[in-house]
Amino acid sequence: MRSKIVAGNWKMNTTFQEAEDLLYEIADLLNEQGKGDADVIICPPSPYLEMASDIGVENDFFVGAQNANDHESGAFTGEISAAMISSMGITHVILGHSERRTYYGENDAIIKNKIDLALKHELVPIYCCGEVLAEREKSNHFEVVRRQVSEALFHLDKEAFSKIIIAYEPVWAIGTGVTATPDQAQEMHAFIRGLIATKYGDETAADTTILYGGSCNAKNAAELFSQADVDGGLIGGASLKAADFVTIVNSFK
Ligand code: 13P
């Protein structure tokens, strides 16, 4: 189902106490200011998932993990499985983030397995795609995103695909302060929706939620979210500041 969504990816930040304080600060602001008809998903570091989920249940926001392993279970020291995440009552998981692709060698074949396991365990995958700067400079960005989306997702049948949330995160915009222009975001989101339409039909394409991520903040969110094919954001740095994050949540027209 297509929804308005603002998701916060805290990455590897906060101590337990800082995380708890930030969650309550966000919850208080959401309760004060409302969130319109947007869904809020907060993705804290894994050790805090259960604590965050308890606060989320009381305050009407979802909690997601930032990653899950590509195996069901077994001898993978230090890793966290989709089954574990799901068994704690967590609802979403970010998969394919560019930091996982760059620093941990994840490719679309690995991410495809993660997608399958997430769906098997009834987690909603937030699938990240996006080109690096050199690819955009060579005008290769549409082809890169087409490959990422089709290789990791297009093996799914229509029903399974309809559970996926896509996040377009141009790598050159992540953590750099350089945001895609609203036109650049809209152009790529429309392209992704077109790929989905070709594969699964217009109805599925129209029903897919596509988020933008990459230096999205309290100042630029409203313009980005006003684009026809931008259904919300996946927010990094600005999700660690409660007031900014809740402003972003309330940036839909
Ligand atoms: P920033 O908002 O810090 O650029 O991070 C975006 C991101 O990677 C969200 O997953």
Side-chain angles (χ1 to χ4, degrees), residues 7-9 11 94 97-99 128 169 173-177 213-217 234-239:
N9 174 9
K11 309 192 180 183
I94 297 171
H97 194 281
S98 68
E99 287 148 18
C128 302
E169 298 207 308
I174 295 177
T176 57
S215 298
C216 183
N217 59 37
L234 179 55
I235 317 300
S239 73

Side-chain angles (χ1 to χ4, degrees), residues 21-114:
D21 291 349
L22 180 55
L23 286 161
Y24 277 120
E25 217 183 321
I26 291 170
D28 287 348
L29 289 174
L30 287 173
N31 291 328
E32 266 168 49
Q33 296 177 25
K35 56 187 174 70
D37 52 359
D39 285 339
V40 173
I41 308 168
I42 296 180
C43 304
S46 307
Y48 315 149
L49 283 170
E50 195 181 0
M51 177 267 287
S53 173
D54 290 345
I55 299 173
V57 166
E58 283 164 25
N59 292 283
D60 195 26
F61 61 79
F62 296 102
V63 171
Q66 297 175 16
N67 182 33
N69 190 261
D70 58 323
H71 295 83
E72 177 70 48
S73 65
F76 300 100
T77 300
E79 289 296 296
I80 296 167
S81 72
M84 292 173 188
I85 294 164
S86 179
S87 72
M88 291 191 290
I90 305 306
T91 48
H92 295 72
V93 60
I94 297 171
L95 295 174
H97 194 281
S98 68
E99 287 148 18
R100 303 283 330 163
R101 295 177 192 261
T102 305
Y103 305 136
Y104 301 98
E106 289 186 15
N107 57 33
D108 288 310
I110 292 171
I111 299 162
K112 176 173 175 252
N113 287 343
K114 296 185 175 211

Side-chain angles (χ1 to χ4, degrees), residues 173-240:
I174 295 177
T176 57
V178 181
T179 319
T181 64
D183 285 349
Q184 286 172 323
Q186 168 57 26
E187 189 183 32
M188 184 60 86
H189 284 227
F191 173 75
I192 294 169
R193 213 178 287 288
L195 295 175
I196 299 166
T198 304
K199 172 75 183 169
Y200 296 105
D202 289 346
E203 202 180 321
T204 302
D207 277 351
T208 303
T209 304
I210 308 178
L211 309 180
Y212 168 79
S215 298
C216 183
N217 59 37
K219 292 208 174 77
N220 59 31
E223 211 186 340
L224 286 160
F225 296 178
S226 71
Q227 302 300 307
D229 288 293
V230 178
D231 301 313
L234 179 55
I235 317 300
S239 73
L240 293 164

